Amino acid sequence: MPERRTVALVTLGCARNEVDSEELAGRLAADGWELVENATDADVAVVNTCGFVEAAKKDSVDALLEANDLKDHGRTQAVVAVGCMAERYGKDLAEALPEADGVLGFDDYADISDRLQTILNGGIHASHTPRDRRKLLPISPAERQDAAVALPGHAQEIAPAPADLPEGVAPVSGPRAPLRRRLGTSPVASVKLASGCDRRCSFCAIPSFRGSFISRRPSDVLQETRWLAEQGVKEVMLVSENNTSYGKDLGDIRLLETLLPELADVDGIERIRVSYLQPAEMRPGLIDVLTSTPKVAPYFDLSFQHSAPGVLRAMRRFGDTDRFLELLDTIRGKAPQAGARSNFIVGFPGETEADLAELERFLTGARLDAIGIFGYSDEEGTEAVGYENKLDADVIAERLAHISQLAEELTSQRAEERVGETLQVLVESVDSDEDGPVAVGRAAHQAPETDGQVVFTAREGLVPGRMVEAKAVGTEGVDLVAEHHELAEAAR
């Protein structure tokens, strides 16, 4: 009988990393590894790192150091870094962080079981030299589909899936790899629509380590969604670095408009949500599909980043306050209850007080449901590192605090505007706290992790995974307090 091998996956960062972790989990389970939830119970702790901004990189290093501490008083024998930070820094990270027993890049994912076994046996797998992954794919998007490049979360002709897969593990795209195994029992799961990005925002390093944009085949996305529905998933969130570009390398920039109704028709799926939309690439047809297709959430995760024209141009982005407000008006003209959220950077090089006031004007008029505010920091390898007119750290901190407070006030006001609305809420958890039983879910305008939630006034008849109709009766900051309609009717 083979020796028991246990592994725990610790995931940081965005939903794209969560999908990648479930691919790694599927590959490891298919090769006989036992997946455990707690790193203290694992022979190997695999930390899926984030390499986006300085704060996220610090969190990743802290997680690796915390996992390393388990080697002194637990079962853990090895700690391995994977994910964006590992891919971005490779051997440089390995040298700077000797506490990690291995640093594996995307090219190692197909052989993750062998890599972990080598490390567990005391061997060394040489970390890769960091490189610009944009150069691995053809410049022409139309030529990228057949490129032999490792793309986590994509179905590629890497190897046939094993015939005798463990329960709960499936090839998410028919006979092609990758495999996937769910980590957790949430009724919500993400599906990767594409990888990489062709945009060249001056502050962003993601394309350099995630590569150029490449779409997954619609059939692969559909097959994965069907499999997730069989696993009890009720809501699927489509993720990538830029969903509005989906299909451009497959010969049809409007492919998302065709795919969404097909995904909504998958048996068992109650809601489809699309994230990561570029305002400059929004099309009337896409807005129509997102606001009128049954089971497709009228939810707009729009990457505005700023609204002052001069700042946006320095960021190598497009638009301005009035055009962005017009876009939101168009969306709400078609779906008044549509959800909208975005992230913004303050303190960008050259940002003036007038630019900040312009951003305030936009935020005040936009009525966004969720707002993320970040202070600018240099990201190595980006164009903005070389910009002049950098702002002092204390100025950036002051602007960050000011706009963050404004954002908190505005999103609370937006939640109050929703009191009285009828909501379709997916119940996510039913539990108890110090005040008694509590049930929590999310409406169509609330994405997991990033946005607010719905707290029910009573939990009778509510179970995770159930979609219910409810009425918003109050707020708790950005969260809504809601009354389940069946309970309200019974009380009359």
Side-chain angles (χ1 to χ4, degrees), residues 106-388:
F106 297 151
D107 293 336
D108 293 305
Y109 282 22
D111 300 308
I112 187 67
S113 179
D114 290 342
R115 300 287 187 265
L116 295 191
Q117 189 63 60
T118 296
I119 294 168
L120 187 59
N121 291 343
I124 297 175
H125 177 70
S127 302
H128 68 282
T129 299
R131 55 183 173 170
D132 189 338
R133 293 191 73 87
R134 289 172 293 192
K135 298 178 181 179
L136 303 182
L137 288 168
I139 294 176
S140 170
E143 298 175 4
R144 294 174 187 167
Q145 283 291 319
D146 297 324
V149 176
L151 297 167
H154 284 236
Q156 297 167 275
E157 303 290 354
I158 304 171
D164 52 345
L165 293 173
E167 183 178 355
V169 179
V172 299
S173 308
R176 291 193 299 269
L179 306 175
R180 181 170 181 175
R181 174 168 174 165
R182 297 215 66 208
L183 297 172
T185 59
S186 170
V188 183
S190 296
V191 171
K192 192 169 287 190
L193 193 63
S195 287
C197 186
D198 286 342
R199 301 183 72 87
R200 294 296 179 263
C201 300
S202 63
F203 57 85
C204 184
I206 290 177
S208 66
F209 56 85
R210 277 290 184 179
S212 297
F213 184 88
I214 183 167
S215 305
R216 291 183 66 196
R217 300 174 181 89
S219 58
D220 294 341
V221 178
L222 274 165
Q223 179 66 21
E224 183 169 356
T225 299
R226 294 189 185 104
W227 177 78
L228 288 169
E230 292 170 0
Q231 305 301 304
V233 169
K234 298 300 180 183
E235 177 179 325
V236 162
M237 185 166 72
L238 300 178
V239 300
S240 77
E241 280 73 22
N242 179 8
N243 281 334
T244 36
S245 283
Y246 180 68
K248 73 174 188 179
D249 52 323
L250 295 171
D252 185 359
I253 191 60
R254 296 176 177 80
L255 195 54
L256 185 56
E257 288 94 305
T258 304
L259 178 60
L260 285 172
E262 295 182 55
L263 293 171
D265 284 341
V266 172
D267 288 342
I269 295 298
E270 297 285 346
R271 186 155 64 203
I272 300 291
R273 184 184 304 276
V274 184
S275 61
Y276 305 111
L277 301 169
Q278 287 291 340
E281 297 180 25
M282 290 300 296
R283 307 174 291 275
L286 180 56
I287 295 174
D288 288 342
V289 170
L290 287 170
T291 55
S292 65
T293 307
K295 294 188 178 181
V296 173
Y299 175 79
F300 293 81
D301 176 13
L302 294 160
S303 178
F304 290 122
Q305 302 298 344
H306 211 285
S307 73
V311 176
L312 287 169
R313 300 305 173 268
M315 290 179 169
R316 295 202 178 277
R317 297 179 65 83
F318 307 95
D320 55 46
T321 296
D322 293 331
R323 274 189 277 184
F324 290 164
L325 291 176
E326 183 180 350
L327 172 60
L328 291 169
D329 285 344
T330 298
I331 290 167
R332 290 174 177 138
K334 295 177 180 294
Q337 288 186 225
R341 77 166 320 277
S342 191
N343 294 325
F344 300 87
I345 298 173
V346 297
F348 195 78
E351 181 190 63
T352 65
E353 291 285 354
D355 293 330
L356 197 68
E358 186 69 2
L359 177 58
E360 290 187 48
R361 183 170 79 90
F362 172 68
L363 291 174
T364 302
R367 297 168 56 233
L368 299 173
D369 292 283
I371 300 171
I373 306 294
F374 300 87
Y376 172 80
S377 62
D378 281 339
E379 278 297 309
E380 57 195 283
T382 64
E383 181 182 354
V385 169
Y387 282 4
E388 298 178 351

Side-chain angles (χ1 to χ4, degrees), residues 431-453:
D431 209 341
S432 297
D433 60 18
E434 63 273 9
D435 298 321
V438 60
V440 174
R442 287 178 304 97
H445 69 280
Q446 298 167 320
E449 305 297 335
T450 58
D451 303 341
Q453 60 187 9

